[in-house]
């Protein structure tokens, strides 16, 4: 194996075939992948299916709490989970810069393979392109995913009083990338929340009738995701600043950088809209999941008489309208 | 609308939402796409499904016979067709360079939308990333696709005497890109063969029992694709050079450039391995399809006593072993 990726690794011939076998098949191994030619085949019977895609361009490629590979697998899994689907199969498309370090490529592939095994999803089809030096910055990855819908979940109309749960501390991924990008020295343990969320869905099976909507607050953060939910629901949201879980370090660094954590991407958190009668029980279940100990109810939906905005009661007792992201946040966070 | 794509078009907030609505929803419009949040839902019942992915990095973005958008849709459709599947749903992930011309982006999206309508496939989920100037060369597109397997087709063991059909002239796409890349002035009409192949599959429904294998000779060209088929079949192939359809201009230009057309990508051709009893009938049907008038039987499979190689009888009466692509062909042809 070369120690760098060469243009010929992407020409579709012998060298591409070697790269695929030595790195991708090694770490992603499963029968469906290795027996496929240009497409892989699976059984769609008895499922309603969810289909999603994401390209990952995060910089740096490796960061505290994860790397572009783990991020790609988690991101696509989590998009399927928001649709109430059990993640089943993924595709994986690499675009690699000529000269890219082969050891780092393998590290990224290994991280993807590990996340797949942990979550029970399989990469069953893939594509590899290599472009000349300067045509892409390092490596970009697209992962598309197919999930099987759980029969007992579907999005439901949102009512007055429905509660909003976030499954853990916000802004950890975006803040981690900002710290790395600006080269800030930080005391303490800031790391990305990047994690797969399918286990939460499995744990909440008996509550699916009470869950109205799910959304993961990635690019644009909690604020933008809530505004998207608001658009679907046609109802205003009352948000309680003091209830929003945020780690002390994350809060301090954003104050230092002058950034608003409400707009920072999470990569392992879910917003759930839950019937008010069941919200406490659902919260209890979520808090029992690994990494979700700080899950909290952070707000609720209002009567349709009230203008459809996200209004936050601030810790100092004021009120602030929280719009979707409009300014320029950090690019390439995922 | 701005006349250039800005970083904020990729931040996941208001501007991303505008870009998606003004360009992508406009040209890709269908209910499943516009009603989806992070994933789109479809019914997998009664289907065995095929799943495939491809990233497109072609340079130049627009070329005679197509552009990166048409190429992306056709490429993914054709990968599904090789699996014997009816293409149903596509995902589409854009990675765009900051400052990219908005009009060209819309032209590419329009070309994708047109190809979708022609072929009856729907883009039902998507993703848009914008990266800073220099981090990607223009625009790269990933399309992943889901197709429903035709009940009457599956790959079958290849026997001695099975015939190899190519659905039209070879090397047209790769040669077109080479001509554009090297800035060669050419007399005549050289253009990419980029086209969707699903209509051929529909026309051949009654012959599915006689079709043993299908493969599209993209990167690595006819030579590499035949070597991949050979690996699956365990049998040698006798190839007849004089039977291989190739346009006069394509042949001359490759002689001029010193390139071997057997290794140039096709983007609208299919190799089919067909039972010898039915090969002439199948060929007749294929020749009736638009753009396939030059389809031909170009070789056959040999006894297992003979070493498993692709051996070509040349026009001057010699014999040449045709291996898979090993050298460096032009990068970024698709």
């Amino acid at each position: 194996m070369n120690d760098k990726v060469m243009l010929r690794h992407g020409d579709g011939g012998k060298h591409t075939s070697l790269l695929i076998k030595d790195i991708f098949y090694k770490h992603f191994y499963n029968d469906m992948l290795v027996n496929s030619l240009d497409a892989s085949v699976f059984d769609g019977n008895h499922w309603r299916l969810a289909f999603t895609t994401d390209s990952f361009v995060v910089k740096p490629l490796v960061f505290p709490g994860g790397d572009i590979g783990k991020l790609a697998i988690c991101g696509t899994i989590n998009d399927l989970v928001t649709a109430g689907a059990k993640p089943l199969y993924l595709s994986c498309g690499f675009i690699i810069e000529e000269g890219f370090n082969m050891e780092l490529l393998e590290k990224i592939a290994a991280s993807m393979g590990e996340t797949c095994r942990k979550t029970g999803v399989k990469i069953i089809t893939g594509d590899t392109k290599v472009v000349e030096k300067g045509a892409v910055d390092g490596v970009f990855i697209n992962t598309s995913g197919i999930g099987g819908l759980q029969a007992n979940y579907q999005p439901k109309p949102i009512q007055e009083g429905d509660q909003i749960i976030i499954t853990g501390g916000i802004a950890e991924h975006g803040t981690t990338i900002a710290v790395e990008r600006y080269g800030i020295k930080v005391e303490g343990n800031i790391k990305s929340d990047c994690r797969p969320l399918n286990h939460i869905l499995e744990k909440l099976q008996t509550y699916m009738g009470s869950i109205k909507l799910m959304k993961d607050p990635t690019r644009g953060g909690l604020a933008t995701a809530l505004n998207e939910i608001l658009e679907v629901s046609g109802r205003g949201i009352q948000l309680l600043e003091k209830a929003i879980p945020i780690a002390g370090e994350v809060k301090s660094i954003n104050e230092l950088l002058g950034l608003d954590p409400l707009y920072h991407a999470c990569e392992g958190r879910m917003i759930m809209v839950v019937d008010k009668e069941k919200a406490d029980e659902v919260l209890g279940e979520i808090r029992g999941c690994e990494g979700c100990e700080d899950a909290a109810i952070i707000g609720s939906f209002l009567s349709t008489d009230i203008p459809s905005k996200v209004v936050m009661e601030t810790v100092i007792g004021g009120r602030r309208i929280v719009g979707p992201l409009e300014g320029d946040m950090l690019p390439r966070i995922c």
Side-chain angles (χ1 to χ4, degrees), chain A residues 32-50:
Chain A
M32 292 167 76
L33 177 65
V34 301
N35 294 327
S36 69
L37 281 168
D38 296 308
S40 202
V41 168
F42 66 97
D43 208 329
N45 275 340
H46 314 304
W47 288 107
R48 294 253 307 150
L49 294 163

Side-chain angles (χ1 to χ4, degrees), chain A residues 164-172 215-230 237 239-241 243-246 260-267 269-272 296-299 310 312 320 322-325 329:
Chain A
I164 299 167
I165 294 176
I166 180 94
T167 61
I170 66 161
E172 293 170 11
K215 183 153 183 67
D216 57 336
T218 54
R219 272 184 298 176
L222 180 65
T224 306
L226 288 176
N227 275 279
E228 286 175 39
I229 297 174
L230 172 138
I237 290 173
L239 194 61
L240 298 168
E241 187 175 20
I244 300 171
I246 179 165
D260 187 342
L262 289 176
Y263 295 92
H264 266 311
C266 306
E267 289 292 342
R269 303 297 179 206
M270 186 74 84
I271 300 168
M272 290 185 179
I297 293 173
I298 58 171
V310 179
M312 183 165 78
R320 171 187 155 197
V322 176
L325 179 60
M329 281 293 276

Side-chain angles (χ1 to χ4, degrees), chain A residues 77-334:
Chain A
I77 285 177
N78 294 349
D79 277 346
L80 294 171
V81 171
T82 64
K86 178 183 167 67
L88 300 169
Y89 304 116
L90 301 183
S91 69
C92 166
F94 280 88
I95 302 174
I96 311 169
E97 185 179 18
E98 177 189 14
F100 192 77
N101 185 290
M102 193 67 84
E103 205 179 313
L104 180 53
L105 182 67
E106 177 154 11
K107 195 184 154 185
I108 290 166
S111 163
M112 297 173 82
E114 193 193 332
T115 312
C116 284
R117 283 187 296 279
K118 255 190 203 159
T119 49
V121 305
K122 289 177 179 175
I123 296 171
I124 62 169
T125 189
D127 177 60
T128 308
K129 294 288 189 301
V130 182
V131 296
E132 73 277 16
K133 218 165 171 52
V136 76
D137 185 11
V139 65
F140 292 168
I141 301 175
N142 176 283
T143 39
S144 301
I146 294 171
L149 288 196
Q150 312 276 358
N152 53 353
Y153 173 74
Q154 54 181 23
K156 299 171 233 346
I158 293 175
Q159 311 291 336
E160 183 177 351
D162 283 345
Q163 303 288 293
I164 299 167
I165 294 176
I166 180 94
T167 61
I170 66 161
E172 293 170 11
H173 179 74
T175 305
T176 302
I177 298 299
V179 163
E180 295 288 306
R181 200 82 67 77
Y182 296 133
I184 299 164
K185 295 263 175 264
V186 178
E187 298 282 322
N189 182 25
I190 297 245
K191 62 175 191 177
S192 168
D193 57 304
C194 172
R195 75 166 61 72
L197 295 169
N198 53 334
H199 62 294
I200 299 184
L201 199 66
E202 280 153 31
K203 203 165 172 201
L204 292 177
Q205 281 306 300
T206 55
Y207 293 96
M208 283 296 159
S210 305
I211 297 174
K212 307 278 185 94
L213 201 79
M214 295 186 275
K215 183 153 183 67
D216 57 336
T218 54
R219 272 184 298 176
L222 180 65
T224 306
L226 288 176
N227 275 279
E228 286 175 39
I229 297 174
L230 172 138
E231 221 176 285
V232 175
S233 75
R235 288 175 182 277
I237 290 173
Q238 185 183 41
L239 194 61
L240 298 168
E241 187 175 20
K242 70 174 180 210
I244 300 171
I246 179 165
E249 299 99 319
V250 173
K251 205 173 162 194
S252 322
I253 287 169
N254 281 295
E255 278 165 9
L256 183 74
L257 295 174
L259 294 171
D260 187 342
L262 289 176
Y263 295 92
H264 266 311
C266 306
E267 289 292 342
R269 303 297 179 206
M270 186 74 84
I271 300 168
M272 290 185 179
V273 180
V274 185
D275 187 296
K276 66 180 167 198
E277 306 296 334
K278 293 288 183 184
D280 287 332
E281 278 178 58
V282 170
L283 180 63
E285 292 291 331
I286 293 170
R287 282 188 172 162
C289 293
E290 194 195 329
C292 301
E293 298 76 9
D294 296 331
I297 293 173
I298 58 171
S300 61
F301 282 85
L302 302 171
S303 151
T304 48
D305 304 338
I306 296 162
S308 175
K309 301 265 177 203
V310 179
V311 178
M312 183 165 78
E313 300 207 356
T314 65
V315 281
I316 54 165
R319 290 161 68 91
R320 171 187 155 197
I321 291 174
V322 176
L325 179 60
E326 283 195 63
D328 291 318
M329 281 293 276
L330 209 58
R332 297 181 64 183
I333 45 133
C334 63

